[in-house]
Amino acid sequence: MTTYRDRAEAGRMLADRLSDLAGRPDVIVLGLVRGGVPVARVIAERLGAPLDVLVVRKLGVPWAPEVAYGALGPGGVQVLNEMVAGRLGEDERAEVRRNEQTELDRRERLYRGGRPQLDLTGRTAVIVDDGLATGATARAAVQVARHLGAARVVVAVPVGSDQAYEMLAAEADQVICAQIPPDFAAVGAYYDDFHEVSDDEVTQALTATA
């Protein structure tokens, strides 16, 4: 399996696979906050498309936060992996939900920065993340995009698990996943540089492509 130097390199590779969307006025590239934004920035620049963010929060298992039992998106969208969620008590799920909703609301205020709410009516939404582990966050993002009126939803990621790919393929109109390792590890294992993306990096990306 190929290891990417960083998220920008992954974005360049994905942009080549999305070249048929270049120059189309209906296309908008949506980076999943936060790690998907540096990937999406490169794709938006190469396609000549606007860049925006889609804020979706993973609902993590309290004793293993990297394991998602679901995800939240704006507009009250919630997606659950019932097999995992069933292992948690209602009180545990409620506390995680409260915390993640607070953070989702904070990020929406920060990243929208006074800009109007996202409207995808009639558009082709290209949802970009830096990788798919469980796929719960991307699945929520697809549902949010449809809720916001997208006519077509494409998910583009540099690497992902087979399970997540199959789940997304049933939700999105198209899924482009450059690598599906048979022994998928954590997303960060496929990057040399997998630093935590800051709020500043996200806002700078949005400003640069505005």
Side-chain angles (χ1 to χ4, degrees):
M1 290 291 110
T2 300
T3 300
Y4 303 104
R5 185 166 62 249
D6 54 21
R7 291 179 176 91
E9 182 181 66
R12 288 190 290 272
M13 181 278 305
L14 279 176
D16 291 340
R17 297 191 175 211
L18 293 162
S19 59
D20 60 318
L21 299 179
R24 282 180 38 178
D26 64 311
V27 171
I28 182 169
V29 179
L30 303 172
L32 291 188
V33 175
R34 289 179 292 201
V37 175
V39 185
R41 174 181 181 174
V42 175
I43 293 172
E45 289 171 347
R46 295 220 167 180
L47 297 184
L51 171 68
D52 212 318
V53 294
L54 197 52
V55 182
V56 180
R57 293 293 295 172
K58 181 172 70 175
L59 296 171
V61 174
W63 57 89
E66 72 280 1
V67 178
Y69 74 83
L72 296 176
V77 174
Q78 177 177 275
V79 179
L80 293 180
N81 179 333
E82 298 292 353
M83 288 182 63
V84 180
R87 301 174 190 168
L88 281 68
E90 181 52 42
D91 289 346
E92 290 175 312
R93 293 199 300 270
E95 183 176 1
V96 173
R97 242 186 348 257
R98 270 195 308 272
N99 292 338
E100 295 303 339
Q101 186 66 54
T102 298
E103 180 63 10
L104 186 149
D105 293 342
R106 182 192 75 84
R107 292 187 180 193
E108 272 284 286
R109 289 192 300 270
L110 176 64
Y111 302 142
R112 297 245 64 82
R115 291 179 295 127
Q117 290 297 307
L118 195 58
D119 182 3
L120 302 179
T121 303
R123 307 195 73 168
T124 295
V126 181
I127 296 172
V128 180
D129 206 354
D130 53 14
L132 292 175
T134 67
T137 303
R139 183 183 176 207
V142 171
Q143 295 190 357
V144 170
R146 295 203 190 282
H147 179 74
L148 295 174
R152 179 173 169 79
V153 181
V154 178
V155 176
V157 293
V159 65
S161 69
D162 180 66
Q163 180 184 17
Y165 174 83
E166 293 297 334
M167 180 177 70
L168 265 297
E171 294 275 349
D173 296 294
Q174 182 180 9
V175 180
I176 297 173
C177 185
Q179 298 188 70
I180 305 176
D183 52 349
F184 180 82
V187 171
Y190 303 96
Y191 289 84
D192 294 330
D193 174 5
F194 196 67
H195 68 274
E196 184 174 351
V197 176
S198 67
D199 286 337
D200 284 344
E201 191 172 347
V202 172
T203 53
Q204 286 168 12
L206 291 170
T207 301
T209 54

